[in-house]
Amino acid sequence: MSLFFALSMAGQSLLTHKRAMDNVNKNMTNLYSEGYARRVNHLSDMPASSVYLQKIERVFDRALFDRYLNANNQKTGYEGYQDILQQIESLYNDIMGSGLSSQLNDFFNSFNDVAVNPDDLAARYSVISKATALVGRIRNDYNSLQNIKEKTSLSIKDNLQKLNNLTKQLAYVNKNIKFFFNDEVRLNEFLDERDRVLKEISSLIDVKIRINEDKTVDLFTAKGFSLVVYDQVSNATFETDSSGNPVVRVGGNDITDILGNGKIGGYLKGIKKVNEAINQLNDFTATLTLVVNKQHRQGYDLNGNTGIDFFGIDPESSLTNIDASNIVVNITDPKQIAAASDPAYTNSDNTNIKKIIKIKDDITGVLTAAEETDLLADGSITIGGITYNLNNTVNYNLIKEKSFHEFYSSNMVAPVSSELSKIKTLAEDSGFLLESIDQKIKEISSVNIDEELINLTKLQRAYEASAKIINVTDELLQTVLNLVK
């Protein structure tokens, strides 16, 4: 072996171990960098020659990464849905005595004093006061539900914009991964960025990924609609339908109903729950006003007048039917309360007011059989110029079988609380699962300072040995040159 060949081998070894040490130093520098996957040196012997750095491999477990995306997707979906459920539940604050149930009790109980003394104006004023409070509570709940819906829709819109920014970023990363495919240092940096972007996207929407041989990634929705194919991006768009419900489209395709997870999917589930709560509140209001008005119209007030509706439609409302958004107390004069059934004894007869009190627990018989048939046929009936619509006629039957209080508790409050309890558990479980997967990924791909120090020591010794070979070879060359002289 010639001295020059030995010098070449030592030089090659020196450069190889220098690159390997630089990589170890990079690992140690990024010890606390979130999302950094450590790089592993793969050294190989050159046949009958020196050593070279075959590749710098980034530690990456595809199976664990896929599990992380799925778990993250589920966790954020449950958390988004849970947030909406908590807002709905806070409206039904009956435990603190400020919910709709309390206002409903006060309303019906206020009729008792009128029943005891039908011509007591103070008692009649109290009825109007309690009715106004009940109407205020109903309209406040309706407006609050609408506000939840609007704010959630805006959140969906904002998150879709964030999603579009991330998909553009992913397309940019794909281009750089392909461009720097042969530059391991830059390539691994972009692969870290690729995984970070995918994690963020998975927190917004349920997706599937396809990692190609060149390490670029194609991104699809869970049902196969493409979001990113190499550097081609399909933006998600936001719009609202005639009912104010959000509509999400990708490439012109409506994907609203197929989004089940991620923050956006969780919010969409929440809006469905809000719509359900609004429909139940509207049916509750329509049924309450229908039976109270029907019974009240059959009585006589202190002036001997009959056919008076207790509740009415807000004149500022554009709707022709009464619901939780436009209900008002139609009576402003306490003398208009129709307590009597006998026009000859309007100041002493309390027969009609007793029938109104009975409505609290039983609405049977208030509507005639023909009226009930008409209502249940298409969910709508008009009496005295006011139209009452039901979103679901089953709700009327439930109130009739139970009572307003039981319907409110068992069909409006309890399902939300039960659903919230279930989602809280699922959110916690998915959080634990995500944390477990993340910990496993970190165990595999994060930097271990002790291991890196050992690697660095080994590489330094090899570097020093290569340097020593160069020094010895140089001395031998000098000796040979001196002999020639």
Side-chain angles (χ1 to χ4, degrees):
M1 180 186 295
S2 71
L3 291 177
F4 286 107
F5 184 68
L7 192 64
S8 174
M9 287 177 53
Q12 171 68 31
S13 176
L14 198 71
L15 293 173
T16 295
H17 289 98
K18 174 63 169 60
R19 284 186 62 201
M21 283 192 294
D22 288 342
N23 182 56
V24 172
N25 284 324
K26 185 179 183 67
N27 283 341
M28 295 172 67
T29 302
N30 288 278
L31 175 63
Y32 299 109
S33 297
E34 185 65 31
Y36 177 84
R38 65 186 172 90
R39 281 62 156 152
V40 178
N41 295 313
H42 289 276
L43 299 173
S44 294
D45 293 329
M46 298 176 68
S49 183
S50 183
V51 64
Y52 76 103
L53 186 58
Q54 184 180 23
K55 65 178 178 177
I56 299 175
E57 183 181 20
R58 173 178 173 269
V59 177
F60 176 73
D61 189 307
R62 172 65 191 276
L64 277 177
F65 187 71
D66 284 342
R67 289 182 62 195
Y68 181 95
L69 296 183
N70 290 332
N72 190 37
N73 195 238
Q74 289 183 343
K75 175 180 175 289
T76 53
Y78 289 139
E79 288 175 344
Y81 187 32
Q82 176 183 325
D83 178 45
I84 308 303
L85 290 173
Q86 286 174 330
Q87 293 182 60
I88 298 174
E89 187 186 49
S90 68
L91 294 178
Y92 304 144
N93 195 18
D94 291 287
I95 296 176
M96 303 299 294
S98 59
L100 181 58
S101 180
S102 175
Q103 303 286 351
L104 189 65
N105 263 330
D106 291 344
F107 168 66
F108 280 109
N109 290 340
S110 67
F111 286 107
N112 290 324
D113 290 337
V114 179
V116 173
N117 192 357
D119 63 351
D120 185 350
L121 291 181
R124 288 169 173 261
Y125 270 118
S126 178
V127 169
I128 295 176
S129 174
K130 298 301 182 183
T132 302
L134 174 62
V135 166
R137 180 68 199 201
I138 290 173
R139 294 188 65 163
N140 178 73
D141 284 358
Y142 177 86
N143 290 331
S144 296
L145 289 169
Q146 287 290 352
N147 286 336
I148 294 172
K149 182 176 178 178
E150 291 170 8
K151 289 179 180 178
T152 305
S153 293
L154 288 176
S155 295
I156 292 173
K157 184 177 181 180
D158 291 342
N159 280 291
L160 283 174
Q161 183 58 53
K162 184 178 179 181
L163 173 66
N164 289 335
N165 292 337
L166 288 170
T167 53
K168 289 176 184 176
Q169 190 174 349
L170 183 62
Y172 171 78
V173 170
N174 273 341
K175 290 171 68 176
N176 281 281
I177 287 174
K178 195 163 189 177
F179 184 79
F180 292 104
F181 187 75
N182 295 317
D183 182 346
E184 291 179 328
V185 175
R186 296 296 304 277
L187 174 63
N188 287 331
E189 289 175 355
F190 281 109
L191 290 178
D192 280 347
E193 179 68 7
R194 178 200 70 183
D195 293 352
R196 185 193 65 79
V197 172
L198 287 173
K199 286 179 179 179
E200 283 197 55
I201 290 175
S202 72
S203 70
L204 299 176
I205 189 173
D206 36 355
V207 292
K208 294 188 297 186
I209 63 171
R210 180 176 64 205
I211 298 179
N212 303 308
E213 290 184 6
D214 59 4
K215 299 190 178 180
T216 61
V217 64
D218 297 330
L219 184 71
F220 306 90
T221 67
K223 297 297 182 180
F225 295 102
S226 64
L227 292 169
V228 178
V229 177
Y230 182 49
D231 64 345
Q232 300 299 308
V233 178
S234 296
N235 283 329
T237 59
F238 174 89
E239 58 190 67
T240 54
D241 61 19
S242 58
S243 300
N245 297 311
V247 177
V248 180
R249 296 183 186 277
V250 171
N253 299 298
D254 185 352
I255 65 169
T256 310
D257 293 333
I258 61 177
L259 294 179
N261 293 311
K263 189 177 292 185
I264 294 172
Y267 283 158
L268 288 170
K269 281 183 183 178
I271 284 183
K272 289 179 181 179
K273 202 67 178 179
V274 171
N275 285 335
E276 183 181 319
I278 290 173
N279 288 338
Q280 287 182 320
L281 182 61
N282 281 335
D283 285 358
F284 177 92
T285 304
T287 303
L288 175 67
T289 54
L290 170 60
V291 294
V292 170
N293 280 353
K294 174 66 190 306
Q295 189 60 58
H296 192 266
R297 290 177 63 85
Q298 295 176 3
Y300 294 86
D301 65 9
L302 288 178
N303 299 317
N305 297 320
T306 190
I308 303 170
D309 287 313
F310 191 93
F311 295 108
I313 299 175
D314 191 333
E316 296 183 1
S317 174
S318 59
L319 299 177
T320 57
N321 63 288
I322 193 168
D323 65 13
S325 70
N326 61 14
I327 178 178
V328 293
V329 179
N330 187 54
I331 293 173
T332 56
D333 184 352
K335 292 182 180 180
Q336 291 181 304
I337 296 176
S341 295
D342 189 340
Y345 300 96
T346 57
N347 63 343
S348 59
D349 184 15
N350 63 4
T351 308
N352 197 55
I353 209 76
K354 285 182 177 180
K355 292 180 180 179
I356 293 177
I357 294 171
K358 181 176 175 290
I359 288 173
K360 174 184 177 182
D361 299 315
D362 186 7
I363 66 173
T364 303
V366 176
L367 298 183
T368 65
E371 288 171 337
E372 277 198 349
T373 301
D374 187 18
L375 174 65
L376 298 177
D378 59 2
S380 179
I381 189 172
T382 301
I383 297 177
I386 297 179
T387 300
Y388 307 88
N389 289 340
L390 297 176
N391 296 287
N392 188 348
T393 56
V394 171
N395 289 330
Y396 173 85
N397 289 327
L398 289 172
I399 293 173
K400 184 178 178 181
E401 293 171 5
K402 302 175 181 179
S403 67
F404 285 105
H405 284 285
E406 287 187 36
F407 175 81
Y408 174 71
S409 298
S410 61
N411 291 81
M412 294 176 67
V413 178
V416 174
S417 298
S418 176
E419 182 79 351
L420 177 57
S421 178
K422 181 181 76 172
I423 295 302
K424 277 183 178 179
T425 301
L426 290 172
E428 289 176 0
D429 291 345
S430 61
F432 290 142
L433 176 61
L434 180 64
E435 185 178 343
S436 174
I437 296 171
D438 187 49
Q439 186 61 38
K440 188 66 176 176
I441 290 175
K442 287 178 179 177
E443 287 176 6
I444 295 173
S445 63
S446 64
V447 177
N448 184 313
I449 193 66
D450 295 331
E451 183 180 344
E452 298 302 326
L453 284 172
I454 293 171
N455 290 335
L456 185 61
T457 301
K458 289 162 59 178
L459 292 169
Q460 283 175 333
R461 294 293 179 267
Y463 182 87
E464 291 168 358
S466 300
K468 191 169 184 178
I469 291 173
I470 292 175
N471 289 333
V472 171
T473 305
D474 181 60
E475 291 176 1
L476 289 173
L477 283 171
Q478 289 297 327
T479 300
V480 170
L481 290 173
N482 288 333
L483 289 173
V484 172
K485 291 178 181 180

